[in-house]
Amino acid sequence: MGSGATKTLTTSPDERGMVHRVIIEDSVISRGKRKFTCPGRLVGSWRAGEVVVVKVLEKSVPDEQYWDEEIEKCRRLREHIISFGKTVNLPIKIHVEFPMTAYVDKASKWMKKKMKLKEGEFVLVEEPLGEDYAELLDSCGKVATKVPQGVADILGELMHFTYHESCRKDIFCGFQGTVSGNVVCLSEPTVHSVDTKYRETDMGLEGIIEAFINHRCTARCHGWLKPGGVNHTKFESICTTV
């Protein structure tokens, strides 16, 4: 652990209830409007040396509650998947990665100069999902063409089920992750809610409407709630069993 490396304080607990510290490398994997992503590795635990992905908020998004909300979305999606699995006979396993958070203890000169990272900033730490990580179902409810049909149907059904189980309050979509055989691993999703409580990516009722425009129900969707009130007749024709 070099003295000039970017280091974090202890993380929040991982899925096993363990905590770690993280070394963040002086490089950037990707950069968007709201955040940038860096490679890192765990230290200070029996998992020392394992590779992780560290996400850092851009200065235009200064609120550290942003990451708490991302974790909350993962927690809620996990709960929906458990209920979904009890409702339908799932032929695949769907796993949602559970992120950790940590405060930056020391920032390298490179991080300070190039990325404007400072001590005390709040970062998200995730397990890497591999080179095949991709968008499987976008925030508009469209399934990627490369996704196997069986998986595509289930992800669409899961999206519809989240709307049903929330009693029309919100819908989970924007599923990103990997597909390996009969196992699907997902990272944090997008949520559209009627009260737009999930910030920039939450398109509210408009996002819910768009998701259902692009959704085609299967036999499993029969009896689940569909958008009502606004253009209800339109949605009844859209959400038909095929």
Side-chain angles (χ1 to χ4, degrees):
M1 186 188 304
S3 59
T6 300
K7 314 167 189 176
T8 73
L9 296 173
T10 303
T11 66
S12 59
D14 64 13
E15 290 184 281
R16 303 175 182 89
M18 296 185 61
V19 295
H20 317 273
R21 286 176 290 124
V22 182
I23 298 296
I24 307 174
E25 296 182 16
D26 286 346
S27 63
V28 176
I29 299 172
S30 62
R31 189 170 193 174
K33 293 181 179 180
R34 292 181 295 273
K35 57 198 171 188
F36 61 88
T37 304
C38 303
R41 66 182 187 279
L42 300 179
V43 294
S45 69
W46 69 270
R47 293 182 62 193
E50 290 189 23
V51 175
V52 291
V53 173
V54 181
K55 295 182 177 179
V56 184
L57 291 177
E58 293 284 3
K59 298 303 173 284
S60 59
V61 191
D63 190 352
E64 67 182 39
Q65 290 183 344
Y66 186 97
W67 295 136
D68 293 330
E69 291 174 3
E70 294 297 287
I71 292 175
E72 173 67 8
K73 288 191 289 185
C74 288
R75 183 192 65 77
R76 289 191 60 206
L77 180 57
R78 282 186 164 197
E79 291 176 352
H80 280 309
I81 290 171
I82 291 172
S83 298
F84 183 52
K86 292 178 180 179
T87 303
V88 304
N89 183 22
L90 284 178
I92 65 173
K93 179 181 178 181
I94 306 175
H95 176 73
V96 180
E97 294 294 336
F98 195 78
M100 300 174 281
T101 54
Y103 287 98
V104 174
D105 181 38
K106 183 176 181 180
S108 69
K109 292 181 179 179
W110 187 88
M111 280 291 184
K112 289 180 179 179
K113 182 177 181 180
K114 297 291 186 180
M115 308 308 297
K116 310 302 181 185
L117 182 68
K118 299 178 181 178
E119 284 84 2
E121 291 199 39
F122 201 47
V123 299
L124 193 76
V125 182
E126 294 182 328
E127 309 282 349
L129 290 181
E131 296 180 357
D132 294 331
Y133 180 83
E135 188 171 62
L136 307 177
L137 182 147
D138 70 16
S139 60
C140 296
K142 297 178 181 178
V143 180
T145 56
K146 293 183 179 180
V147 177
Q149 188 60 51
V151 175
D153 287 344
I154 290 171
L155 291 179
E157 293 160 2
L158 173 60
M159 180 184 74
H160 187 163
F161 181 80
T162 63
Y163 180 77
H164 168 76
E165 193 174 51
S166 73
C167 296
R168 294 192 172 111
K169 293 179 181 178
D170 48 41
I171 192 167
F172 282 64
C173 50
F175 298 144
Q176 301 178 78
T178 59
V179 179
S180 179
N182 65 343
V183 178
V184 177
C185 291
L186 302 175
S187 60
E188 65 269 17
T190 296
V191 183
H192 302 307
S193 60
V194 293
D195 52 1
T196 57
K197 60 184 177 182
Y198 288 107
R199 307 194 189 212
E200 304 99 326
T201 59
D202 186 342
M203 301 306 293
L205 181 59
E206 181 181 342
I208 294 173
I209 290 172
E210 185 69 20
F212 270 95
I213 286 175
N214 292 307
H215 174 58
R216 291 295 180 270
C217 287
T218 69
R220 291 190 181 98
C221 300
H222 180 71
W224 292 350
L225 293 174
K226 304 168 186 177
V230 181
N231 293 332
H232 184 69
T233 303
K234 174 184 178 182
F235 289 112
E236 286 298 331
S237 65
I238 291 170
C239 295
T240 54
T241 301
V242 294

